[in-house]
Amino acid sequence: MVGYAELRARLENDLLAEIPAGTFQFVPVQKNIDRPSKPTLMLKLSSVSRHVAAQGVLMPTFVLTVISEKTDPGQADQHLDELLDILLAPIQRLRWVAFRGADKVSFQSKYTAYDIQLEALTAIKKAE
């Protein structure tokens, strides 16, 4: 089994390798940011659940938040549609990750964003 920090790092590395360089600012942890200067991606581990059909298998759920730097609601909506187009194809190429959905959210009460839910499978780590 891979630890959760290692799994997060693998997701970050694999995803960023699939996206054109410089397209997004990447923030590896959930935190407040002053003002995004370009589209921003933020990754967090949101939950871990036991796989219902496989004993000893866990399903960590990650949330990849994509934030538009645009503050006008109409421009931000259109921009996020374009950003999803950029992100969904690379996510689908990651065979070890399952895309579960994307929900529109507000980030820091002034930016429009999507929370993209991603699941991975891993074994339960045995105590040593």
Side-chain angles (χ1 to χ4, degrees), residues 11-47:
L11 178 55
E12 174 185 334
N13 290 334
D14 288 1
L15 182 60
L16 292 177
E18 294 287 333
I19 298 170
T23 304
F24 294 94
Q25 171 186 344
F26 184 78
V27 179
V29 296
Q30 186 178 13
K31 68 177 192 171
N32 286 337
I33 49 180
D34 291 332
R35 174 161 172 50
S37 58
K38 64 193 293 187
T40 301
L41 295 176
M42 192 174 292
L43 183 64
K44 71 176 180 178
L45 175 64
S46 68
S47 67

Side-chain angles (χ1 to χ4, degrees), residues 59-81:
M59 292 187 340
T61 300
F62 291 89
V63 173
L64 179 68
T65 302
V66 56
I67 307 158
S68 173
E69 77 279 15
K70 307 219 182 274
T71 53
D72 174 85
Q75 290 179 349
D77 267 358
Q78 183 174 356
H79 190 222
L80 280 170
D81 290 348

Side-chain angles (χ1 to χ4, degrees), residues 1-8 10 45 47-49 55-60 62 96 120-128:
M1 178 196 143
V2 175
Y4 296 111
E6 296 161 83
L7 203 56
R8 179 199 305 253
R10 180 179 174 199
L45 175 64
S47 67
V48 178
S49 58
Q55 188 70 5
V57 175
L58 297 176
M59 292 187 340
F62 291 89
W96 63 277
L121 295 177
T122 188
I124 293 175
K125 192 171 191 173
K126 298 194 187 294
E128 296 180 33

Side-chain angles (χ1 to χ4, degrees), residues 43-117:
L43 183 64
K44 71 176 180 178
L45 175 64
S46 68
S47 67
V48 178
S49 58
R50 186 180 147 300
H51 192 285
V52 294
Q55 188 70 5
V57 175
L58 297 176
M59 292 187 340
T61 300
F62 291 89
V63 173
L64 179 68
T65 302
V66 56
I67 307 158
S68 173
E69 77 279 15
K70 307 219 182 274
T71 53
D72 174 85
Q75 290 179 349
D77 267 358
Q78 183 174 356
H79 190 222
L80 280 170
D81 290 348
E82 295 165 3
L83 295 175
L84 278 178
D85 287 342
I86 292 169
L87 286 170
L88 290 181
I91 288 170
Q92 297 295 330
R93 287 193 292 270
L94 301 179
R95 296 281 185 215
W96 63 277
V97 174
F99 167 75
R100 292 296 177 221
D103 298 314
K104 188 175 284 189
V105 296
S106 176
F107 181 76
Q108 294 179 188
S109 302
K110 58 181 144 177
Y111 301 105
T112 306
Y114 272 105
D115 278 347
I116 301 170
Q117 296 85 31

